[in-house]
């Protein structure tokens, strides 16, 4: 009789366990919901009621980067990346460039013109700061409780355009951008267990002269509170995600706005600049084109070959050691099968740069990241 | 003896139930997935938001604290509203600078210049030029800023006369000159090429503005794969 009572009580306990357990699992929903759950109701809905599809790529060691063209929807974009990481096995490690377009100024306020909005709207660095913090918090929240170790490094970038602006403008903008990235670093401190930030620029030979470009970086560096890590690492404070389209020669850097681009100038904004005796900058080179049999002198494609040569130039001509590459930048997501300027996949870009660097013991190194840039996707409105 | 045994069993069972209850409390408290819109009242949200402004030192963060932090973080985001971005608009008119060319290149357009203006209260940029994949094919590419997204629209000229350039505007209609001096006129509200700056535009193509919906796949691929060398 007593045994029956105990069995009955045990059955009740087990039933309660199952019911509560299934409730808990329902709350968790792990593996059940492919997308972030849409927000419901006001006023608690996110500012941008959007749902992003998970980003699925063929090669796991790359992350998406974006030309920002909708500045106030970045929480959802970051959330989508975090959500993807949450449901991928293991710990993920992302490098994401947020390219805010063109340096700009209205009155005494510095800011940006976003791509496709350069004829329309000025956004201040305050608005850039808010949006970048939104992206970081979105990523942090998106990874959820099950993933507290995946990592995101954000690169808060502009480009080096354009030479119709004055030198004083770029010096002021460099200072303002440095201060903005400082503010972002402070703003994302609640998420620092998973997210960190550096500044960056898409420095291109055709966008501006080398002297003005280097001045922007110098003023950025002076305003930055970031202290670079070891020279033998990717822990710089500034990433140049631009191009290199000149021959690798010229150990004297530009001394005026009329100076042409030389190897020294690209080297300086990618590696040469120093703060407290440590290298402040690191390259995230555009590796857009692959091998072309018509140009056998570039066995790893033009881009990867010349960047490897620049690293060799750094070690041999500038006595500055090899350059530590953060990783390649590709643009496959934007280009698809076409593109005048090359359409390597992230994997192709990674292999080309890796093999080019490995071809010489002086430049050989492993690459931590790979990222592929495209235009920020238009959010899908929630139902 | 039997009564004593029964008492012990019952006590053990109550003890077991108490432990189970405590375990569930801990699980529910610390292992909830953050869920948008899960906060019950504005008052709750405000309190959470206020408490969130003091970050927890990283070195003391345990998994449980990080978990709670994430729940609070998402609630904070949901509860707080960023000050809406107040854009500073640039003047309406023709833009002919390096930025226009760089941005248009991202859309596979070789732009000559651009027109920046408003349509139905929405800011837009219209790039004028030619397709990168076919320099003879004139094109206008319109990017309209809508709430929450951008609308991308491409319109090619009915005949090929080279790259277009905006020369003037009248009543939301643009005059464009092609490379071989052929004139084209683009009516912005109806999104079509028309015969003149002043004629009545056929109403065959309804304006997408008014029922704005950002395109889901706004970026066209080049019409033919090309590779730049080296």
């Amino acid at each position: 009789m007593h045994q029956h009572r105990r069995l009955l009580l045990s059955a009740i306990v087990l039933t309660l366990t199952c019911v509560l357990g299934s409730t808990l699992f329902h709350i968790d929903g792990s593996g059940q919901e492919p997308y972030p759950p849409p927000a419901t109701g006001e006023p608690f809905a996110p500012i941008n009621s959007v749902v992003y599809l998970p980003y699925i790529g063929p090669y796991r060691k790359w992350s998406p980067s974006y030309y920002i063209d909708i500045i106030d929807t970045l929480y959802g974009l970051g959330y989508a990346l975090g959500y993807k990481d949450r449901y991928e096995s293991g710990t993920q490690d992302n490098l994401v460039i947020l390219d805010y377009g063109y340096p700009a100024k209205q009155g005494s306020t510095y800011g940006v013109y976003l791509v496709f909005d350069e004829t329309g709207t000025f956004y201040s660095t305050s608005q850039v700061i808010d949006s970048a913090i939104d992206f970081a918090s979105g990523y942090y929240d998106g990874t959820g409780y099950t993933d507290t170790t995946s990592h995101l490094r954000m690169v808060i970038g502009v480009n080096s355009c354009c030479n119709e602006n004055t030198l004083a403008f770029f010096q002021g903008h460099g200072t303002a951008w440095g201060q903005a990235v400082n503010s972002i670093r402070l703003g994302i401190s609640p998420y620092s267990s998973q997210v960190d930030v550096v500044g960056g620029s898409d420095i291109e030979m055709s966008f501006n002269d080398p002297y003005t470009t280097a001045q922007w970086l110098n003023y950025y560096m002076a305003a930055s509170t970031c202290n670079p890590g070891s020279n033998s690492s990717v822990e710089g404070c500034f990433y140049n995600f631009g191009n290199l389209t000149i021959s690798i020669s010229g150990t004297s850097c530009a001394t005026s706005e009329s100076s042409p681009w030389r190897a020294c100038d690209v080297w300086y904004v990618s590696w040469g600049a120093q703060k407290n005796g440590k290298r402040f900058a690191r390259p995230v080179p555009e590796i857009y084109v692959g091998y072309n049999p018509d140009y056998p002198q570039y066995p790893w494609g033009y881009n990867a070959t010349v960047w490897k040569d620049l690293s060799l130039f750094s070690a041999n001509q500038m006595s500055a050691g090899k350059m530590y590459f953060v990783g390649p930048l590709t643009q496959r997501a934007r280009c698809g099968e076409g593109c005048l300027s090359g359409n390597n996949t992230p994997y192709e870009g990674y292999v080309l740069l890796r093999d080019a660097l490995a071809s010489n013991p002086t430049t050989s190194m492993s690459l931590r990241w790979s990222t592929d840039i495209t235009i920020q996707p238009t959010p899908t409105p929630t139902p | 003896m039997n009564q004593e045994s029964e008492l012990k069993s019952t006590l053990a069972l109550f003890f077991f139930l108490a432990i189970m209850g405590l375990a569930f409390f801990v699980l529910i408290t610390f292992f909830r997935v953050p869920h948008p819109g899960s906060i019950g009242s504005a008052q709750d949200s405000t309190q959470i938001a206020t408490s969130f402004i003091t970050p927890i030192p990283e070195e003391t963060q345990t998994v449980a604290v990080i978990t709670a932090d994430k729940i609070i973080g998402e609630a904070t985001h949901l509860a707080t509203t960023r000050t809406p971005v107040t854009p500073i608009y640039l003047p309406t008119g023709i833009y002919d600078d390096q930025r226009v060319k760089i941005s248009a290149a991202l859309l596979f357009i070789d732009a000559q210049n651009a027109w920046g203006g408003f349509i139905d209260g929405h800011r837009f940029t219209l790039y004028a030029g030619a397709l990168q994949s076919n320099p003879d094919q004139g094109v206008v590419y319109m990017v309209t800023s809508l709430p929450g997204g951008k609308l991308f629209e491409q319109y090619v000229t009915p005949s090929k006369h080279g790259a277009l350039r905006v020369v003037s505007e009248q009543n939301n209609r643009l005059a464009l000159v092609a490379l071989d001096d052929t004139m084209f006129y683009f009516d912005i509200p109806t999104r079509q090429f028309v015969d003149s700056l002043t004629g009545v535009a056929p109403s065959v193509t309804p304006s997408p503005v008014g029922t704005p919906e950002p395109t889901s796949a706004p970026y066209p691929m080049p019409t033919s794969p090309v590779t730049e060398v080296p």
Side-chain angles (χ1 to χ4, degrees):
Chain A
M1 183 64 182
H2 294 311
Q3 280 182 336
H4 287 165
R5 194 182 296 171
R6 277 201 295 275
L7 278 172
L8 183 64
L9 282 169
S10 299
I12 291 170
V13 168
L14 280 171
T15 306
L16 278 171
T17 304
C18 291
V19 168
L20 287 172
S22 64
T23 305
L24 181 66
F25 181 78
H26 180 71
I27 292 169
D28 179 340
S30 56
Q32 301 300 307
E33 299 173 84
Y35 311 118
T40 53
E42 296 290 343
F44 308 110
I47 305 165
N48 314 296
S49 301
V50 295
V51 174
Y52 287 88
L53 297 178
Y55 204 93
I56 298 169
Y59 178 50
R60 282 190 49 173
K61 284 193 73 175
W62 65 277
S63 311
S65 288
Y66 301 106
Y67 294 106
I68 301 302
D69 68 350
I70 313 164
I71 200 167
D72 53 358
T73 62
L74 296 198
Y75 179 86
L77 203 61
Y79 193 99
L81 182 64
Y83 199 85
K84 176 191 75 75
D85 284 358
R86 186 199 305 190
Y87 290 112
E88 283 199 357
S89 60
T91 297
Q92 309 305 314
D93 190 17
N94 302 281
L95 176 74
V96 175
I97 298 167
L98 303 178
D99 185 335
Y100 284 89
Y102 308 95
K105 184 182 182 185
Q106 286 283 315
S108 59
T109 304
Y110 286 97
V112 294
Y113 298 133
L114 303 177
V115 289
F116 313 134
D117 216 359
E118 66 279 352
T119 73
T121 315
F122 169 82
Y123 295 99
S124 68
T125 52
S126 296
Q127 291 163 329
V128 170
I129 292 166
D130 284 349
S131 70
I133 294 172
D134 280 351
F135 187 85
S137 65
Y139 176 82
Y140 185 79
D141 293 343
T143 53
Y145 79 87
T146 53
D147 184 353
T148 57
T149 54
S150 285
H151 171 252
L152 164 66
R153 174 158 299 173
M154 298 193 302
V155 183
I156 309 302
V158 282
N159 61 44
S160 57
C161 185
C162 300
N163 54 14
E164 61 247 31
N165 288 314
T166 64
L167 177 63
F169 163 82
F170 279 102
Q171 290 170 336
H173 193 275
T175 299
W177 204 250
Q179 291 167 343
V181 176
N182 293 343
S183 297
I184 293 167
R185 188 172 294 109
L186 282 175
I188 65 170
S189 58
Y191 326 118
S192 60
S193 60
Q194 289 187 258
V195 186
D196 52 37
V197 64
V198 298
S201 182
D202 177 10
I203 294 175
E204 308 228 358
M205 317 287 100
S206 62
F207 286 1
N208 217 322
D209 67 82
Y211 183 76
T212 303
T213 304
Q215 284 287 298
W216 183 93
L217 173 59
N218 287 345
Y219 276 75
Y220 174 91
M221 187 161 59
S224 173
T225 55
C226 172
N227 290 309
S230 163
N231 286 349
S232 303
S233 75
V234 294
E235 300 307 322
C237 296
F238 171 84
Y239 289 175
N240 170 20
F241 52 98
N243 69 358
L244 171 53
T245 57
I246 55 172
S247 61
I248 309 303
S249 65
T251 55
S252 298
C253 289
T255 54
S256 73
E257 293 169 73
S258 59
S259 301
W261 280 95
R262 297 181 188 279
C264 178
D265 301 305
V266 188
W267 167 82
Y268 182 80
V269 297
S270 308
W271 178 249
Q274 291 192 78
K275 182 178 184 181
N276 302 327
K278 290 184 177 176
R279 301 290 168 196
F280 189 77
R282 299 288 187 279
V284 186
E286 295 177 357
I287 308 295
Y288 290 173
V289 297
Y291 174 67
N292 185 335
D294 293 337
Y295 295 88
Q297 67 270 38
Y298 304 114
W300 300 278
Y302 177 78
N303 298 141
T305 305
V306 294
W307 279 102
K308 180 267 295 178
D309 290 344
L310 189 69
S311 184
L312 210 54
F313 168 90
S314 174
N316 296 340
Q317 307 279 322
M318 305 303 291
S319 302
K322 67 181 174 187
M323 300 164 69
Y324 271 79
F325 289 84
V326 177
L329 172 68
T330 52
Q331 56 173 356
R332 180 66 170 212
R334 181 179 80 80
C335 294
E337 293 298 323
C339 246
L340 285 169
S341 50
N343 66 337
N344 280 333
T345 64
Y347 181 72
E348 288 167 343
Y350 182 88
V351 168
L352 286 168
L353 183 60
R354 181 198 65 191
D355 290 354
L357 296 174
S359 68
N360 190 308
T362 303
T363 59
S364 181
M365 62 171 291
S366 61
L367 299 170
R368 177 171 172 180
W369 281 301
S370 173
T371 186
D372 192 76
I373 194 164
T374 189
I375 296 163
Q376 180 188 349
T378 296
T380 305
T382 48
Chain B
M1 187 67 183
N2 280 345
Q3 281 184 339
E4 191 179 334
S5 174
E6 187 182 347
L7 184 63
K8 280 182 181 174
S9 298
T10 308
L11 281 173
L13 196 59
F14 277 124
F15 186 67
F16 176 72
L17 280 171
I19 289 193
M20 288 294 293
L22 187 63
F24 270 110
F25 175 77
V26 170
L27 284 170
I28 294 291
T29 303
F30 291 110
F31 291 92
R32 272 184 61 195
V33 167
H35 198 289
S38 61
I39 301 300
S41 72
Q43 191 178 4
D44 291 343
S45 305
T46 306
Q47 288 169 351
I48 289 170
T50 306
S51 69
F52 187 57
I53 60 176
T54 306
I56 300 162
E58 189 180 347
E59 61 270 21
T60 63
Q61 287 190 348
T62 61
V63 171
V65 172
I66 290 173
T67 302
D69 196 30
K70 290 190 175 190
I71 295 169
I72 293 167
E74 185 158 358
T76 303
H77 178 83
L78 301 181
T80 56
T81 304
R82 284 261 187 242
T83 304
V85 172
T86 307
I88 300 173
Y89 292 118
L90 304 181
T92 292
I94 293 173
Y95 287 79
D96 187 4
D97 55 37
Q98 203 175 351
R99 286 181 285 269
V100 164
K101 293 172 173 57
I102 293 170
S103 288
L106 294 173
L107 300 168
F108 309 107
I109 305 294
D110 280 333
Q112 299 298 304
N113 63 3
W115 177 264
F118 290 90
I119 183 73
D120 293 349
H122 302 294
R123 185 76 196 193
F124 73 89
T125 298
L126 183 146
Y127 300 101
L131 296 177
Q132 282 183 349
S133 57
N134 183 356
D136 291 334
Q137 179 63 66
V139 64
V140 295
Y141 202 113
M142 196 165 165
V143 183
T144 310
S145 296
L146 302 173
K150 278 187 162 56
L151 180 67
F152 293 79
E153 302 165 275
Q154 176 178 293
Y155 301 93
V156 296
T157 51
S159 53
K160 295 178 181 178
H161 296 273
L164 300 178
R165 172 184 290 275
V166 180
V167 291
S168 65
E169 182 267 355
Q170 184 177 317
N171 295 328
N172 275 332
R173 192 168 291 187
L174 296 176
L176 306 111
V177 61
L179 194 62
D180 67 358
D181 291 333
T182 303
M183 290 299 299
F184 289 94
Y185 305 95
F186 187 75
D187 188 63
I188 295 166
T190 61
R191 309 291 205 279
Q192 59 186 315
F193 286 98
V194 293
D195 294 334
S196 70
L197 261 184
T198 54
V200 177
S203 57
V204 291
T205 307
S207 167
V209 175
T211 54
E213 284 189 13
T215 50
S216 56
Y219 314 115
M221 293 297 114
T223 50
S224 60
V226 284
T227 303
E228 186 183 56
V229 290

